[in-house]
Amino acid sequence: EESGKNQLAEFTERVKFIPLRLTFSERKQLRLCEAALNVSEYTDKIDILNWKSKTGRIHKQIRDLCAILSGLAVAADYEVGQKMIKGRSIEDNAEYFASVFEIGRRHKILNPESMRTDYGKLVHMLMDS
């Protein structure tokens, strides 16, 4: 009985760090994340020295990536997209963006062979934000 409790405790602890498989709606959000990262030029434009400050470059590129993701969200699900567009503020939609990027991160952990270049953009963007 003691070993059963130890196994359950170990399993409960591991579940905190091992991501679950994606649901259908999460897969839709994953496709949005992949598409936004694919067309984003985040890592290309961050290293350009023409801007006055690096912070300004990072802020502009993050806003651009979120705008791309918002546009794709409208195309994928009109009702969700309408709610995002009405607010027109990245801060208001921060929870949505965080959930989409978290789904991308979870997918990469479970599937190391996928999102090879796009995951690098995602990690750099998340570190800079």
Side-chain angles (χ1 to χ4, degrees):
E1 186 176 319
E2 186 66 31
S3 68
K5 287 182 181 180
N6 288 339
Q7 287 178 341
L8 181 61
E10 180 184 345
F11 180 74
T12 305
E13 187 64 26
R14 289 183 67 197
V15 166
K16 293 178 184 176
F17 304 103
I18 299 172
L20 299 174
R21 292 183 55 86
L22 299 177
T23 64
F24 178 72
S25 63
E26 289 174 333
R27 289 205 175 275
K28 285 175 66 175
Q29 289 182 331
L30 172 65
R31 300 295 175 244
L32 293 177
C33 179
E34 288 175 335
L37 290 169
N38 191 27
V39 299
S40 169
E41 298 175 339
Y42 183 81
T43 51
D44 300 335
K45 293 192 175 182
I46 288 300
D47 296 329
I48 296 174
L49 300 176
N50 294 343
W51 284 72
K52 294 178 183 175
S53 71
K54 185 172 184 170
T55 308
R57 282 192 309 258
I58 291 171
H59 185 70
K60 169 96 171 79
Q61 292 304 310
I62 290 173
R63 291 186 79 71
D64 286 350
L65 182 63
C66 290
I68 292 167
L69 191 55
S70 297
L72 290 171
V74 171
D77 188 348
Y78 186 75
E79 291 177 12
V80 172
Q82 279 298 101
K83 291 176 185 175
M84 291 177 63
I85 299 288
K86 284 182 183 176
R88 294 219 178 237
S89 170
I90 291 178
E91 293 81 17
D92 294 341
N93 299 320
E95 188 175 310
Y96 175 79
F97 295 131
S99 70
V100 170
F101 295 139
E102 174 62 16
I103 289 168
R105 185 195 70 79
R106 282 176 41 204
H107 177 72
K108 178 64 176 177
I109 289 172
L110 285 174
N111 303 288
E113 73 283 351
S114 67
M115 292 179 64
R116 292 196 180 263
T117 57
D118 295 339
Y119 187 71
K121 285 183 193 179
L122 176 63
V123 169
H124 285 323
M125 191 258 320
L126 292 175
M127 286 190 310
D128 290 342
S129 62

